[in-house]
């Protein structure tokens, strides 16, 4: 399993996230790749001090690009994209590896995500059609895809705060669309996955706390 984390001035959040992730040690079968989007803080040093592979960009290329570049360097058969403002349970890594080993090909997996106060965070949502309220928020690029497909009310997408996908399925989908600097890339990924017959599933025994920073 390869975990890709994209950071931009996220040192304190990353410190807490990695400490929760590695609470029981750093299993040898898991690599953590941190893509730094030209941060001004010590985020890269935080990652290096915890045994992560760090790639430093000389400018902020955005979330989608950072994820794609990190995935290109990954060696695992499964990829996990994890936001730096997340916290996990002590057994999260072992549970994630077990889930990946048992998972059938042809699926993107996501955990249950909670807010810091323990309330559920909406993370397995329906993809809207161009007639829905989100047509304004999607800034046009996704709305064009919805118009082409005539809406997708029967389809769902998983939050990009934490996603797991096999390397093979990631290659089939083509990674994140780098036209999205930040936000919307997870919904776009889901649209292309659905078109390829790749399912999206929520894994109820994996729990992530997301600060939404």
């Amino acid at each position: 399993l390869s975990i890709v984390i994209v950071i931009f001035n996220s040192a304190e959040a990353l410190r807490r996230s990695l400490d929760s992730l590695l609470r029981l040690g750093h299993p040898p079968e898991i690599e953590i790749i941190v893509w730094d989007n030209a941060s001004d803080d010590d985020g890269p040093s935080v990652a290096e001090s915890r045994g992560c592979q760090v790639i430093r960009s000389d400018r902020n290329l955005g979330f989608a690009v950072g994820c794609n570049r990190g995935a290109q360097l990954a060696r695992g058969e499964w990829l996990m994209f994890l936001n730096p403002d997340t916290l996990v349970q002590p057994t999260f890594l072992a549970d994630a590896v077990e889930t990946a080993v048992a998972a059938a090909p042809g699926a993107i997996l996501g955990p249950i995500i909670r807010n810091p106060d323990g309330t559920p965070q909406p993370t397995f949502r329906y993809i809207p059609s161009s007639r829905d309220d989100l047509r304004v928020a999607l800034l046009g690029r996704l709305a064009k895809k919805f118009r082409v497909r005539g809406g997708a009310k029967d389809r769902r997408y998983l939050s990009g705060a934490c996603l797991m996908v096999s390397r093979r399925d990631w290659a089939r989908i083509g990674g994140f669309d780098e036209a999205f600097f930040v936000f919307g890339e997870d919904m776009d990924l889901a649209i292309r996955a659905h078109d390829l017959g790749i399912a999206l599933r929520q894994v109820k025994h994996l729990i992530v706390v997301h600060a939404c920073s």
Side-chain angles (χ1 to χ4, degrees), residues 57-70:
S57 174
D58 59 2
R59 59 195 177 96
N60 187 353
L61 298 176
F63 178 77
V65 172
C67 286
N68 287 348
R69 299 297 184 274

Side-chain angles (χ1 to χ4, degrees), residues 3 30 33 38 48 77 83 110 117 121 123 128 135 138 147-148 150-151 153 167 172 175 190 200 202 209-212:
I3 300 174
I30 293 177
I33 298 170
E48 288 171 339
E77 290 302 313
N83 278 16
D117 64 1
Q121 196 172 111
T123 52
R135 66 185 183 277
L138 293 174
R147 286 195 294 272
V148 170
K153 289 294 287 185
R167 174 187 295 278
R172 287 180 63 204
L200 281 82
Q202 194 168 47
V209 174
H210 181 216
C212 285

Side-chain angles (χ1 to χ4, degrees), residues 1 3 21 46 49 66 73 78 85 91 100 134 142 148 160-161 168:
L1 175 66
I3 300 174
L21 197 63
V46 168
S49 70
L73 298 171
W78 276 77
D85 57 346
T91 61
L134 224 62
L142 284 175
V148 170
R168 186 185 74 174

Side-chain angles (χ1 to χ4, degrees), residues 194-210:
H194 283 300
D195 286 348
L196 292 169
I198 296 172
L200 281 82
R201 300 187 186 125
Q202 194 168 47
V203 181
K204 303 261 172 120
H205 64 272
L206 293 179
I207 309 293
V208 169
V209 174
H210 181 216

Side-chain angles (χ1 to χ4, degrees), residues 62-122:
F63 178 77
V65 172
C67 286
N68 287 348
R69 299 297 184 274
Q72 288 173 358
L73 298 171
R75 295 171 294 172
E77 290 302 313
W78 276 77
L79 306 171
M80 175 185 288
F81 300 95
L82 185 68
N83 278 16
D85 57 346
T86 54
L87 299 172
V88 300
Q89 297 174 323
T91 61
F92 179 80
L93 285 181
D95 292 341
V97 170
E98 183 178 339
T99 299
V101 169
I108 298 175
L109 309 178
I112 297 290
I113 300 184
R114 294 176 179 161
N115 294 306
D117 64 1
T119 58
Q121 196 172 111

